[in-house]
Amino acid sequence: MKYIIALVGLLVVFGLTYIASSDKRKIRYRPLVVMVVVQAALAFILLNTDIGELLVTGFAEAFGSLLKYAGEGISFVFGGIANEGAAPFFINVLLPIVFISALIGILQYIKVLPFIIKYIGIILSKVNGMGKLESYNAVASAILGQSEVFISVKKQIGLLPKHRLYTLCASAMSTVSMSIVGAYMQMLNPKYVVTALVLNLFGGFIIASIINPYKIEKEDDLLEVQEEEKQSFFEMLGEYIMDGFKVAITVAAMLIGFVALIAMVNGIFTWVFGISFQALLGYVFAPFAFVMGIPWNEAVQAGSIMATKLVSNEFVAMLDLTKQTGLSERTIGIVSVFLVSFANFSSIGIISGAVKGLHEKQGNVVARFGLKLLYGATLVSVLSATIAGLFL
């Protein structure tokens, strides 16, 4: 039965994507089929094989060790504020972002990350049938983040037509930055986080290839990666540490604001209509949860969490998921994969602002297709969750 529901789910995703396509005649189906098969194979390996378990365990243990090292610095500054095991969310989950950001800066400085990103991107371009720039950008987004990635390709931002700019932005919204993966892993099972990271990478290409199909001529298939301004090692390290701290503070501020606003709106809706806003959204999103493979008796609860992610951000939704009781492991797995992306309303402003900071005209272009961008990125999350559900 779950395979029939998954097939229906895939048809719904591709149907909704096809409806929004800007040029249905230009859709190339062969690369799409290849990428869906690759997604399914990777999901099976990561969720159902010993090799996948080994890879996930190794990834989780590596991040676990990094978080312990991060804890040394956090404990030095904040030790004694809270009892052991009862430290605030900001200290336990968000502040390690500072250390992970510093490590990313070091790997950037010694040219390890640029090398990895560039050549994985070139290999991906052979599979997805898209350009080198688009493939590079997708990999870079998953490591550097949805705003920082545009700095590395700023030479080309002003030269890109609207359709290529959409694909770059869609990749940025569909993935998550490596600096906050450790935070996710403290709230979700690491195997679901890793699975989502991998599936979203291909899912972004699949959805963008239908919504926004085009073919790049060979002479236009160029990749010019902007070298970072030459700095001393400690200048760079200080900059990345501060960037990591800004991310942690920004996420904390967003959580305070969104959690409080949702609580207020829930209270108003409960007082006026006798049902909370989140519960109401749960009914709206329940059909999508069901076609993703979630049992109908849990679909409203899962749909509420999915909607929370869309209207606020993934951290709020993940916190909501950790508080839920009575959900099956299958439902938790499918919802977890859905949550690991930047697909929410606030990301429209973040991405358009990042592009506008580099090229004002192109930033305005991004703002105009912002809702279509969110639509596509949300379908990427639904696609990844549906495929993951096949193997849970």
Side-chain angles (χ1 to χ4, degrees):
M1 186 63 182
K2 76 174 182 179
Y3 297 109
I4 296 172
I5 293 172
L7 180 60
V8 172
L10 291 176
L11 290 174
V12 168
V13 170
F14 291 129
L16 290 172
T17 311
Y18 185 79
I19 289 169
S21 177
S22 58
D23 193 339
K24 298 175 177 62
R25 292 173 298 176
K26 287 187 179 179
I27 297 172
R28 290 175 293 153
Y29 293 96
R30 186 176 175 182
L32 293 178
V33 173
V34 170
M35 286 189 284
V36 171
V37 171
V38 169
Q39 269 195 317
L42 290 171
F44 174 75
I45 291 169
L46 289 169
L47 296 171
N48 284 93
T49 67
D50 292 336
I51 294 173
E53 186 177 351
L54 188 66
L55 288 171
V56 171
T57 302
F59 194 80
E61 286 180 352
F63 263 93
S65 297
L66 293 178
L67 292 174
K68 285 181 183 176
Y69 297 138
E72 292 293 321
I74 294 167
S75 179
F76 180 80
V77 176
F78 291 98
I81 284 182
N83 296 325
E84 185 133 358
F89 177 85
F90 178 72
I91 292 175
N92 265 352
V93 178
L94 298 183
L95 281 185
I97 292 172
V98 177
F99 175 62
I100 303 297
S101 179
L103 286 182
I104 289 173
I106 292 170
L107 292 173
Q108 279 277 91
Y109 188 82
I110 62 176
K111 307 297 183 185
V112 170
L113 279 186
F115 178 83
I116 293 171
I117 293 169
K118 183 175 181 178
Y119 287 99
I120 290 179
I122 289 172
I123 293 168
L124 274 178
S125 68
K126 307 296 182 185
V127 177
N128 59 36
M130 302 185 86
K132 293 175 186 174
L133 175 63
E134 285 84 345
S135 299
Y136 165 87
N137 187 81
V139 180
S141 296
I143 295 174
L144 303 178
Q146 65 178 336
S147 53
E148 295 85 347
V149 66
F150 293 106
I151 298 172
S152 66
V153 292
K154 66 181 180 182
K155 283 185 179 179
Q156 289 173 269
I157 288 289
L159 306 174
L160 293 176
K162 180 181 175 181
H163 55 272
R164 294 191 73 184
L165 187 61
Y166 177 92
T167 302
L168 263 62
C169 295
S171 293
M173 191 181 281
S174 301
T175 55
V176 294
S177 62
M178 201 57 64
S179 63
I180 60 176
V181 166
Y184 293 160
M185 286 185 173
Q186 294 186 73
M187 294 182 284
L188 304 177
N189 187 319
K191 73 177 179 180
Y192 302 137
V193 176
V194 175
T195 300
L197 291 174
V198 175
L199 296 186
N200 287 349
L201 188 62
F202 289 93
F205 293 129
I206 292 168
I207 300 301
S209 295
I210 300 172
I211 284 185
N212 184 42
Y214 57 88
K215 187 174 181 180
I216 300 172
E217 298 301 326
K218 197 168 183 179
E219 61 269 21
D220 296 324
D221 191 14
L222 305 173
L223 173 61
E224 294 182 52
V225 179
Q226 176 74 23
E227 293 286 335
E228 292 195 10
E229 186 181 339
K230 195 64 181 173
Q231 296 175 296
S232 71
F233 177 80
F234 289 102
E235 279 180 313
M236 173 281 302
L237 192 59
E239 187 175 298
Y240 272 87
I241 287 171
M242 288 307 299
D243 285 346
F245 186 68
K246 288 172 189 174
V247 170
I249 290 291
T250 301
V251 172
M254 296 285 276
L255 284 173
I256 292 168
F258 275 118
V259 170
L261 282 171
I262 289 172
M264 183 185 73
V265 174
N266 279 339
I268 293 170
F269 268 70
T270 302
W271 179 60
V272 176
F273 303 108
I275 184 173
S276 72
F277 179 64
Q278 281 178 290
L280 189 64
L281 287 177
Y283 286 102
V284 175
F285 276 76
F288 295 99
F290 179 70
V291 298
M292 281 163 51
I294 292 169
W296 183 250
N297 63 319
E298 299 177 358
V300 173
Q301 205 173 347
S304 175
I305 298 167
M306 292 164 57
T308 298
K309 182 236 184 174
L310 184 64
V311 300
S312 55
N313 61 46
E314 72 280 6
F315 276 102
V316 178
M318 287 175 190
L319 285 170
D320 199 13
L321 180 60
T322 60
K323 296 172 186 175
Q324 300 296 320
T325 57
L327 292 179
S328 63
E329 183 58 35
R330 174 178 168 77
T331 295
I332 291 171
I334 293 172
V335 174
S336 295
V337 172
F338 176 85
L339 295 182
V340 182
S341 85
F342 286 143
N344 57 65
F345 281 100
S346 60
S347 287
I348 298 173
I350 292 170
I351 291 174
S352 61
V355 175
K356 194 166 186 174
L358 300 171
H359 195 285
E360 186 168 353
K361 183 180 176 182
Q362 294 289 58
N364 292 333
V365 171
V366 174
R368 283 196 290 271
F369 62 56
L371 287 177
K372 192 172 184 180
L373 192 62
L374 178 59
Y375 180 82
T378 302
L379 287 173
V380 171
S381 295
V382 175
L383 175 63
S384 296
T386 304
I387 289 178
L390 281 168
F391 307 104
L392 291 173

